Amino acid sequence: MGATVAIIGRPNVGKSTLFNRLVGKRLALVDDTPGVTRDRRPGEARLGDLRFTIIDTAGLEEADRSSLEGRMRRQTEEAIETADAVLFLIDARAGVTPLDAHFAEVARKTTRPVILLANKAEGRAGESGLYESYSLGLGEPIAVSAEHGEGLADLYDALKPHVDRVSDEEQSNREEAVVNVDVDEDGEFIEEQDPAGTKERPLRVAIVGRPNAGKSTLINEMVGEDRMLTGPEAGITRDSISVDWVWRDRHVKLFDTAGIRRKARVQEKLEKLSVADALRAIKFAEVVVVTLDATMSFEKQDLQIIDLVAREGRALVIAINKWDLVEDREAAWKKIRDANERYFNQIRGVQITTLSGIQGQGIDRLVESVFKSYEAWNARVSTSKLNRWLDRVTANHPPPAVAGRRIRLRYMTQPKTRPPHFIVFCSRPEQLPESYTRYLVNSLREKFNIQGTPVRLTYRKGENPYAPGKKRKIQ
């Protein structure tokens, strides 16, 4: 996208609602509570034949620069500095407030073109506020209703001189070039040949963990700028924000997410929305980095997050952050190894990296681990190798006999990757114990070096469908 447009205004005037309207999706969290948005959220907007990047921002407030509100305002100021045009929103039903007047003065000083929008102007309730907004000195206001989609034709006319127009043919070519998220309705990745890491298809990496584990600080250090709002307060991040990044010519799309607390502790509606947004980021990521705080003990919630990633079938890396604050590193690393052996059996061989997000230490090791885990996630083993392996392991450790009859494992194949999924055809699969499945999966990991990713192993009853003389069933 060429042009960038920032949406600014005081809290609770409908900036995120307008953002969602222009991108055509409910990307930004919306709630009646003021101050929901904190970070800058970019999105690809379309308005008629106009195509541009729209940036949702935190509400402008008067506050000390060191406070959370002050740091949120700095994020908004940076969005203004990088924008080609600015949409200044007021609430037409509330009229012009002293805070609107104060920040309109700030907006007048910018060299960027500013378009004044009187939002919530549907019906007569917004008329007085619409006329009152002339007093802000930002030119003629445009009456809009972000919630109901009114006034967008006038907004189109105002934006037309500042953003790119795209013909139907150009838009069709762009849409064909865009790689969509290749996940089906059940969250399973659709098979594809092209590896991630290119400009056209960046590797999608979600950074998740408990609140205050240093996720946003880590991303800021990775991209080399204060892109995410950070601070000592827990739970600053609310939306899942994506950031494009290039590491050693490999393209990565990083997703910062809200901290995930135990379900019993999540009571407020807004936090529930934030956690749901983080869970969506896991579902559509390819690799998930679970960030743990090295200064805090390993908790059940960490294990539940790791288990969630495994159940979703995503490649996994565990990042032990704030390693610079650990005094006895040898003892701390021993605890990590013990936890790995005791708790991480569902993803045997997971990559574990120590780092310091605030000092930028260990980031290269972390990203190397991410790409190693991604490669294992895409691992494919030929059918001939699988069946030679199956003959050996069943000879060394046959399946247990049930009611005096031995269960026979006849044939094995791998229909899918992302994560690796294997199917074994056998007699009486329902009677195979879970312990034998674990034995097969662990042997598979060791033999074919499939580490740090979930492995799916399922059974089907019947003979080898590919054996000579067998008729294949056409689905």
Side-chain angles (χ1 to χ4, degrees):
M1 292 288 174
T4 300
V5 179
I7 307 175
I8 68 170
R10 64 179 176 81
N12 219 29
V13 294
K15 298 183 294 298
S16 294
T17 304
L18 179 62
F19 173 89
N20 287 342
R21 172 69 61 179
L22 292 174
V23 300
K25 301 175 184 176
R26 292 184 62 86
L27 292 182
L29 298 184
V30 176
D31 193 70
D32 292 336
T33 309
V36 171
T37 303
R38 288 175 170 174
D39 287 289
R40 289 174 279 161
R41 174 187 274 279
E44 304 305 331
R46 54 190 302 170
L47 186 58
D49 58 359
L50 303 181
R51 302 292 181 270
F52 53 96
T53 298
I54 190 77
I55 300 178
D56 189 19
T57 66
L60 288 162
E61 294 187 74
E62 269 296 333
D64 183 83
R65 295 185 73 84
S66 63
S67 67
L68 176 59
E69 291 76 14
R71 300 196 302 275
M72 289 163 58
R73 178 179 170 182
R74 179 57 194 156
Q75 288 281 318
T76 299
E77 290 169 350
E78 289 180 6
I80 295 172
E81 291 170 7
T82 59
D84 297 292
V86 175
L87 303 181
F88 188 101
L89 257 69
I90 70 160
D91 183 342
R93 297 191 173 193
V96 175
T97 68
L99 204 55
D100 289 323
H102 173 75
F103 288 113
E105 187 176 343
V106 175
R108 286 197 300 271
K109 293 177 182 177
T110 182
T111 58
R112 307 294 189 268
V114 179
I115 300 169
L116 176 61
L117 301 181
N119 191 28
K120 308 179 188 179
E122 66 275 16
R124 293 187 176 181
E127 284 185 4
S128 60
L130 174 65
Y131 296 129
E132 191 180 348
S133 63
Y134 278 93
S135 64
L136 295 175
L138 294 172
E140 183 177 353
I142 299 174
V144 298
S145 171
E147 187 171 352
H148 298 99
E150 297 178 9
L152 297 184
D154 293 330
L155 177 58
Y156 170 91
D157 293 334
L159 282 173
K160 191 162 54 175
H162 310 297
V163 302
D164 301 326
R165 300 178 68 181
V166 180
S167 67
D168 291 340
E169 182 179 356
E170 287 176 310
Q171 179 60 19
S172 177
N173 292 337
R174 283 188 180 186
E175 290 175 351
E176 287 178 5
V178 172
V179 178
N180 292 318
V181 176
D182 46 354
V183 179
D184 64 21
E185 293 180 356
D186 298 322
E188 292 292 330
F189 274 79
I190 299 166
E191 201 77 12
E192 64 174 50
Q193 301 299 321
D194 298 331
T198 63
K199 186 176 181 180
E200 292 74 23
R201 210 183 85 70
L203 178 65
R204 296 189 295 276
V205 180
I207 312 293
V208 306
R210 284 188 285 153
N212 221 22
K215 300 180 292 295
S216 299
T217 302
L218 173 61
I219 290 180
N220 283 346
E221 192 62 36
M222 292 170 85
V223 302
E225 61 174 292
D226 290 336
R227 177 62 184 82
M228 299 297 171
L229 187 66
T230 61
E233 304 90 349
I236 289 178
T237 303
R238 284 176 173 164
D239 292 88
S240 294
I241 308 294
S242 65
V243 182
D244 292 317
W245 181 49
V246 179
W247 178 81
R248 297 181 183 175
D249 298 325
R250 307 288 293 272
H251 291 259
V252 179
K253 185 179 283 291
L254 298 167
F255 290 86
D256 189 21
T257 63
I260 303 174
R261 295 199 297 163
R262 288 209 314 265
K263 192 172 183 180
R265 292 185 178 180
V266 180
Q267 301 293 335
E268 295 182 5
K269 174 188 173 187
L270 194 52
E271 187 176 359
K272 289 180 180 178
L273 292 173
S274 298
V275 171
D277 209 26
L279 298 180
R280 270 196 302 274
I282 292 174
K283 186 173 182 177
F284 291 105
E286 293 164 301
V287 182
V288 178
V289 177
V290 177
T291 310
L292 309 182
D293 187 338
T295 64
M296 300 179 68
S297 59
F298 183 82
E299 290 190 3
K300 183 180 178 182
Q301 178 64 6
D302 297 315
L303 183 60
Q304 288 180 333
I305 294 172
I306 292 168
D307 184 60
L308 171 66
V309 175
R311 283 189 282 111
E312 288 291 346
R314 304 303 176 246
L316 173 67
V317 174
I318 296 176
I320 312 296
N321 195 16
K322 306 183 184 180
W323 193 244
D324 55 306
L325 302 179
V326 176
E327 294 182 3
D328 190 347
R329 296 186 178 181
E330 187 175 342
W333 184 247
K334 184 179 183 302
K335 287 183 179 179
I336 293 167
R337 285 202 314 269
D338 292 344
N340 183 22
E341 294 173 3
R342 185 181 303 175
Y343 300 120
F344 303 161
N345 287 327
Q346 71 271 49
I347 305 186
R348 185 68 63 88
V350 62
Q351 300 276 336
I352 301 178
T353 306
T354 58
L355 56 91
S356 169
I358 200 165
Q359 295 187 1
Q361 299 171 354
I363 288 178
D364 284 343
R365 290 198 308 272
L366 172 65
V367 186
E368 286 168 1
S369 296
V370 164
F371 277 98
K372 282 180 185 176
S373 187
Y374 173 74
E375 289 170 8
W377 192 60
N378 280 277
R380 180 173 287 282
V381 185
S382 69
T383 301
S384 59
K385 288 182 179 179
L386 282 173
N387 284 282
R388 285 197 297 270
W389 166 83
L390 183 64
D391 290 341
R392 283 197 299 271
V393 295
T394 53
N396 293 335
H397 185 184
V402 179
R405 297 173 59 196
R406 183 74 64 185
I407 298 174
R408 295 182 57 196
L409 305 186
R410 297 189 176 95
Y411 178 77
M412 186 174 186
T413 188
Q414 182 185 1
K416 291 181 67 175
T417 61
R418 305 162 60 87
H421 184 187
F422 302 92
I423 295 177
V424 177
F425 292 87
C426 65
S427 61
R428 297 177 294 156
E430 69 281 355
Q431 295 180 347
L432 266 173
E434 184 65 28
S435 59
Y436 197 77
T437 300
R438 286 197 300 270
Y439 161 70
L440 292 178
V441 169
N442 290 336
S443 299
L444 264 173
R445 289 186 185 279
E446 186 176 345
K447 173 62 179 177
F448 300 109
N449 194 28
I450 308 174
Q451 308 291 347
T453 184
V455 171
R456 305 281 193 251
L457 181 63
T458 55
Y459 301 98
R460 288 187 187 172
K461 191 172 183 178
E463 301 288 340
N464 176 359
Y466 298 97
K470 293 289 180 184
K471 292 184 178 180
R472 299 184 188 180
K473 183 179 179 181
I474 300 176
Q475 297 283 336

